[in-house]
Amino acid sequence: MKSVILIAPPAAGKGTMASMLSKTFNMPHISTGDLLRNEMSNQTSLGLKIKDDMEKGNLVSDEIITELLINRLTKPDCENGYILDGYPRNVEQAYIYEDILDKLDKEIGVVIFLDIDKATALYRMSGRIVCATCGASYNLNNVELQPKVEGICDDCKSPLNKRSDDNVDTFNNRFDTYINKTSSLINYYQEQGVLERISIDASSTANSTFEAVKKILKR
Ligand code: AMP
């Protein structure tokens, strides 16, 4: 299957869609945010370097992201496609990614833009809890996305917690960063003819959005 890039404002549900796609189509879910959080929780020297930017909701440098991404994309499970969640995040990263694809002899695949307004995204952020061990994401504001046992990950049974950057101030900064840096990717990929848009509003469920994603991928 084609690889998928998910672009959206923070807390739109990229991680949830990526995880549903990954389970359904047996393709790896690559979240650059998870790769970075992993470095932080393992307290590597890289983890210490990125902590401040992550906690403020600023973008981490393109150099760091490029290195982490190349390491991940060259693993054997990426051979037949993957789902990118949170990358690219600016036009410079889109150019870098094209070079990476050329070198690895891979195609871009399809870019799906989850279009959501700020108030709906903020509401989703306020209910989000995540598993630091396996990266699974749940939402207390959405019956479909609640864990089976309160506070425990369905998949790996580790405790669930709020992300340290899921607070209103950081959310506002992440949303501004999205508008100022990431949203220009929408025109960029539209001009390349690879962009598909799905509109999400307060009534959209994870399942209804997933159906829309699958319909695009079946075309
Ligand atoms: P996410 O898990 O996608 O919401 O990302 C959480 C945080 O990780 C962001 O607010 C950034 O600080 C950082 N981050 C994730 N992906 C990238 C990326 N592609 N480029 C730069 N920073 C990133």
Side-chain angles (χ1 to χ4, degrees), residues 129 138 140 146-154 157-160:
I129 45 172
Y138 299 85
L140 300 175
Q146 291 179 6
K148 292 193 180 89
V149 178
E150 196 184 326
I152 301 291
C153 178
D154 293 350
K157 315 296 173 214
S158 301
L160 300 171

Side-chain angles (χ1 to χ4, degrees), residues 10-11 14 31-34 36-37 53-55 57-62 65 85-90 93 128 163 165 174:
K14 292 190 296 292
S31 150
T32 43
D34 282 348
L36 295 164
R37 279 184 286 276
D53 277 335
M54 294 277 293
E55 280 175 359
N58 298 329
L59 292 186
V60 169
S61 78
D62 292 344
I65 297 289
D85 156 12
Y87 182 93
R89 213 61 165 229
N90 56 32
Q93 290 183 6
R128 175 157 67 182
R163 275 171 43 169
D165 60 349
R174 280 156 59 209

Side-chain angles (χ1 to χ4, degrees), residues 38 115 122 130 134 139 141 156:
N38 215 14
D115 193 2
L122 178 62
V130 295
C134 73
N139 204 303
N141 291 339
C156 75

Side-chain angles (χ1 to χ4, degrees), residues 8-29:
K14 292 190 296 292
T16 303
M17 283 309 113
S19 153
M20 291 170 93
L21 280 171
S22 169
K23 284 179 185 152
T24 305
F25 296 105
N26 197 23
M27 285 170 34
H29 166 192

Side-chain angles (χ1 to χ4, degrees), residues 15-147:
T16 303
M17 283 309 113
S19 153
M20 291 170 93
L21 280 171
S22 169
K23 284 179 185 152
T24 305
F25 296 105
N26 197 23
M27 285 170 34
H29 166 192
I30 301 175
S31 150
T32 43
D34 282 348
L35 295 176
L36 295 164
R37 279 184 286 276
N38 215 14
E39 296 290 327
M40 287 204 326
S41 63
N42 291 333
Q43 298 191 329
T44 62
S45 56
L46 179 63
L48 296 174
K49 226 190 273 180
I50 61 180
K51 192 169 183 282
D52 196 46
D53 277 335
M54 294 277 293
E55 280 175 359
K56 287 188 181 134
N58 298 329
L59 292 186
V60 169
S61 78
D62 292 344
E63 291 70 28
I64 289 177
I65 297 289
T66 304
E67 192 185 330
L68 285 174
L69 187 75
I70 292 176
N71 281 341
R72 184 63 190 88
L73 293 186
T74 47
K75 298 243 156 69
D77 65 339
C78 290
E79 220 155 85
N80 298 318
Y82 45 82
I83 300 134
L84 272 184
D85 156 12
Y87 182 93
R89 213 61 165 229
N90 56 32
V91 174
E92 290 73 28
Q93 290 183 6
Y95 298 149
I96 295 171
Y97 186 49
E98 273 151 35
D99 282 346
I100 298 174
L101 289 174
D102 271 352
K103 290 199 180 97
L104 299 179
D105 198 22
K106 291 184 189 295
E107 305 264 312
I108 189 148
V110 56
V111 180
I112 298 180
F113 165 41
L114 303 178
D115 193 2
I116 189 171
D117 65 61
K118 187 173 177 182
T120 310
L122 178 62
Y123 179 67
R124 290 182 171 207
M125 180 282 288
S126 69
R128 175 157 67 182
I129 45 172
V130 295
C131 174
T133 308
C134 73
S137 182
Y138 299 85
N139 204 303
L140 300 175
N141 291 339
N142 181 338
V143 277
E144 278 178 303
L145 298 177
Q146 291 179 6

